[in-house]
Amino acid sequence: MNYVGIIGYGHMGSMLVRGFLASGVLCIDEVVVASKSQRSRDACAAAWPGIGIAATNRELARRCRTIIIAVRPQEMRSVLCEIFPVMDGDEHIVSLAAGIGLEDLEAAFTGSVTRVVPTATSTVGRGTTLVCHGRQIGMNDALRVEGLFSSIGDVMLVEEEDLPPATLLSSCGPGLLAAIIEELAGATARASGLPKDQAVLLATDMVTATAAYLRETGEAPGDLIEEVATGGGVTEVGVEKFRERLPAVFDEAFAAMLERYGAVGK
Ligand SMILES: NC(=O)c1ccc[n+]([C@@H]2O[C@H](COP(=O)([O-])OP(=O)(O)OC[C@H]3O[C@@H](n4cnc5c(N)ncnc54)[C@H](OP(=O)(O)O)[C@@H]3O)[C@@H](O)[C@H]2O)c1
């Protein structure tokens, strides 16, 4: 059987286990998990009775053909060094680690390699996992990994050079948008007697509804702005203020994030 191994039962690893099993894309006896601490391995075994637990990464690598590595970038090299000696090159390594390029992975491993970038919103089956396959990937491995990640949201294939900016949008984006929701709600609460938690609820609902509206109608954001921000109206004043200051704020934030991204895993 083509077992799927997940190394690292942290935020992402546990989200993947839950997503793959809850969606039915994998059965419990098709998944093996390894994590550094006994505590995480016990937590996984307790949450998913019947799941395979490997005492070491090496044991997992011996048992699985598809090996998803969900550890932090700085842990990646030691995990790879641990598993490579027991691999025969027929496996498929799927790495979540930012900053570890396909070239690095392929220099050390001759088999199939894929980089994936899920997002925190995959927890609720929404959002896009970015997928970037290596040169050695075969059709079956590519379809298998894309199918797995389609079970937790959408999948978008990207070129590796586009991975950093796409990651900022799809994977850092939920954090950025949450910060914007906080600001919108904060401004509302400061300007009124509305309690902050009520303002947060209102802002979150408005963001969800706006995204659904744009998706369902196919309208561009600019069209919606024109519809809502009628000449001389209230929204227009706010949009003008945003347009004065926000492009510079966003460019600055993106430049800083890209710089940090480039330093991850070094
Ligand atoms: N969080 C996000 O939104 C997000 C989005 C896209 C991609 N990613 C990427 O996903 C990866 C994991 O992120 P995360 O947020 O899930 O991190 P995390 O919550 O810190 O989880 C990392 C896990 O790795 C395990 N681990 C560390 N060293 C290990 C080793 N040598 N062998 C086996 N397991 C080991 C830890 O094990 P113990 O718990 O057993 O100590 C921990 O459970 C990172 O590379 C990150 O860049 C994260």
Side-chain angles (χ1 to χ4, degrees), residues 90-126:
D90 187 41
E91 300 84 355
H92 182 189
I93 290 187
V94 181
S95 165
L96 270 73
I100 314 283
L102 289 171
E103 204 177 296
D104 295 328
L105 294 166
E106 286 174 340
F109 179 64
T110 53
S112 305
V113 165
T114 297
R115 290 181 66 185
V116 293
V117 186
T119 158
T121 59
S122 309
T123 305
V124 292
R126 304 296 296 268

Side-chain angles (χ1 to χ4, degrees), residues 9-12 35-37 40 57 70-73 75 96-97 118 171:
Y9 192 70
H11 290 107
M12 283 290 128
S35 206
K36 194 175 196 168
S37 68
S40 291
N57 298 329
V71 303
R72 295 197 175 186
E75 298 284 349
L96 270 73
S171 184

Side-chain angles (χ1 to χ4, degrees), residues 178-202:
I180 292 171
I181 290 175
E182 267 198 334
E183 292 303 330
L184 284 171
T188 308
R190 287 192 294 277
S192 68
L194 207 66
K196 177 85 186 282
D197 54 353
Q198 215 173 326
V200 168
L201 204 63
L202 208 53

Side-chain angles (χ1 to χ4, degrees), residues 15-46:
M15 186 270 288
L16 294 180
V17 171
R18 188 169 51 249
F20 295 160
L21 294 178
S23 67
V25 73
L26 290 177
C27 299
I28 196 104
D29 59 0
E30 291 177 287
V31 185
V32 179
V33 172
S35 206
K36 194 175 196 168
S37 68
Q38 184 68 43
R39 193 161 157 241
S40 291
R41 295 196 294 271
D42 288 348
C44 180

